């Protein structure tokens, strides 16, 4: 769509009799969770956001909050139209504002729409099992993170480990890549991380694969969804969904190269709600 264009003559010597038309391109505001540094998130999402802009006809503006709840708040206050949320932050968002998952990415490397949470330590630490974590310094990502908090917390509790009671210290770093660096630099003894972000951290040289001990791995977690505010117009929803489903072979944030996006819905995230219950997380008190 051409913006701010004033039509002059149709042909030499022939004036346009209709009034000049100036039409502003409608803006689609897209939020991104800070699974990595905010600048890196925007840079690594540029190809996808550009494709959405091209496919939908909307002017796309990307936004990364300082934490997961910042994106949820921006959705609730209608400063965002759609957002990329983690599975748990999406479930949390549904308890405070009317949003709905509509698309999910399929990674090219794994050819799947799910991932895993891991707890990692350095091999040199001697930590090999969850029981070995007792008395250690531990890092989660964010209280609204799926693989950085909810799933590993459920795994720890199932093993009889209560973080507040059994760990020497517990911190929240705010990003998965920060957890990888915290372990690599000895800031903590162990930390949670999404498997794909661990792979990315290894590829970037932030941590060496042969130094890592995987202490625990979760069951499959449905991939992070794209969600929209339910009050968007049917026309905008249709254009936005079509724009995402038309995307093929581009890089997407921490997920790397994609085969593309597939449709999803709210029910796909019931497993996350069930895990929150197992972890004794009251979703309504997370805000």
């Amino acid at each position: 769509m051409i913006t701010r264009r004033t039509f002059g003559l149709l042909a030499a010597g022939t004036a346009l009799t209709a009034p000049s038309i100036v039409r502003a391109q409608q803006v689609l505001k897209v939020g991104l969770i800070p699974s990595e540094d905010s600048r890196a998130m925007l840079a690594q999402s540029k190809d996808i956001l550009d494709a959405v802009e091209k496919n939908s006809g909307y002017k796309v503006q990307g936004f990364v909050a300082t934490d997961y709840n910042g994106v949820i708040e921006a959705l609730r206050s209608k400063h965002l139209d759609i957002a990329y949320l983690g599975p748990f932050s999406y479930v949390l968002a549904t308890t405070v504002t009317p949003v709905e998952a509509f698309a999910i990415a399929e990674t090219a490397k794994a050819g799947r729409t799910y991932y895993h949470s891991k707890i990692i330590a350095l091999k040199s630490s001697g930590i090999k099992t969850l029981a070995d974590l007792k008395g250690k310094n531990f890092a989660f990502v964010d209280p609204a993170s799926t693989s950085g908090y909810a799933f590993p917390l459920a795994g720890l509790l199932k093993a009889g480990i209560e973080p507040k009671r059994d760990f020497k210290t517990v911190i929240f770093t705010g990003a998965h890549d920060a957890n990888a660096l915290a372990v690599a630099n000895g800031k903590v003894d162990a930390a949670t991380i999404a498997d794909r972000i661990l792979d990315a951290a290894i590829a970037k040289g932030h941590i060496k694969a042969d130094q890592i001990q995987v202490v625990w791995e979760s069951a499959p977690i449905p991939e992070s969804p794209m969600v929209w505010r339910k009050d968007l117009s049917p026309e905008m929803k249709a254009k936005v969904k079509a724009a995402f489903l038309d995307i093929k072979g581009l890089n997407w944030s921490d997920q790397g190269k994609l085969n593309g996006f597939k449709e999803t819905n709210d029910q796909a995230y019931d497993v996350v709600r069930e895990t929150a219950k197992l972890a004794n997380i009251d979703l309504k008190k997370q805000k």
Side-chain angles (χ1 to χ4, degrees), residues 13-265:
T14 305
L16 181 66
T17 57
S20 296
I21 300 173
V22 179
R23 181 178 296 175
Q25 189 176 17
Q26 189 169 356
V27 174
L28 179 72
K29 296 180 180 179
V30 183
L32 306 168
I33 54 171
S35 58
E36 297 185 280
D37 173 80
S38 60
R39 288 172 296 180
M41 283 293 296
L42 284 172
Q44 294 174 21
S45 300
K46 184 179 185 302
D47 289 347
I48 294 292
L49 297 183
D50 286 350
V52 172
E53 182 169 290
K54 179 181 178 181
N55 294 348
S56 69
Y58 297 122
K59 177 66 177 177
V60 171
Q61 293 180 353
F63 164 79
V64 182
T66 55
D67 59 23
Y68 286 57
N69 280 335
V71 178
I72 296 173
E73 283 297 327
L75 283 167
R76 180 159 67 170
S77 61
K78 299 188 179 182
H79 291 309
L80 293 176
D81 301 306
I82 68 174
Y84 171 62
L85 291 178
F88 183 60
S89 51
Y90 163 64
V91 168
L92 176 60
T94 63
T95 69
V96 297
T97 191
V99 294
E100 181 179 39
F102 70 89
I104 189 171
E106 180 183 285
T107 59
K109 181 177 180 180
R112 65 192 190 194
T113 56
Y114 63 88
Y115 67 112
H116 298 89
S117 168
K118 293 185 177 183
I119 293 176
I120 60 170
L122 292 178
K123 288 182 179 178
S124 59
S125 70
I127 298 171
K128 295 181 179 180
T129 68
L130 292 180
D132 295 333
L133 293 172
K134 291 185 176 181
K136 305 297 184 181
N137 300 309
F138 193 86
F140 289 109
V141 173
D142 184 289
S145 172
T146 313
S147 56
Y149 182 65
F151 273 70
L153 177 58
L156 289 166
L157 293 175
K158 185 177 180 180
I161 298 173
E162 166 55 60
K164 291 182 180 180
R165 179 193 67 206
D166 295 323
F167 293 156
K168 183 178 180 180
T169 61
V170 176
I171 65 170
F172 290 88
T173 67
H176 288 262
D177 57 349
N179 272 15
L181 287 170
V183 170
N185 296 330
K187 301 297 184 182
V188 295
D189 299 303
T192 61
I193 194 168
D195 56 2
R196 61 172 182 267
I197 303 181
L198 174 60
D199 292 342
I202 291 170
K204 294 174 184 176
H206 293 167
I207 194 166
K208 295 181 179 179
D210 60 5
Q211 293 180 327
I212 293 298
Q213 174 69 49
V214 176
V215 180
W216 172 88
E217 182 176 278
S218 73
I221 305 169
E223 267 295 356
S224 300
M226 289 304 307
V227 312
W228 54 37
R229 297 197 336 257
K230 288 185 178 181
D231 63 351
L232 296 185
S233 70
E235 177 187 11
M236 178 174 273
K237 287 180 180 178
K239 287 183 178 181
V240 168
K241 180 185 285 189
F244 275 92
L245 297 184
D246 283 346
I247 292 171
K248 308 293 179 186
L250 293 180
N251 290 318
W252 177 229
S253 182
D254 55 280
Q255 298 193 41
K257 190 173 183 179
L258 304 182
N259 289 334
F261 285 86
K262 296 182 178 297
E263 289 190 62
T264 192
N265 55 42

Side-chain angles (χ1 to χ4, degrees), residues 259-285:
N259 289 334
F261 285 86
K262 296 182 178 297
E263 289 190 62
T264 192
N265 55 42
D266 180 77
Q267 289 71 37
Y269 296 88
D270 284 345
V271 62
V272 181
R273 294 182 174 95
E274 293 165 4
T275 299
K277 290 180 181 178
L278 290 174
N280 297 318
I281 299 172
D282 185 337
L283 296 173
K284 292 184 179 180
K285 290 183 178 180

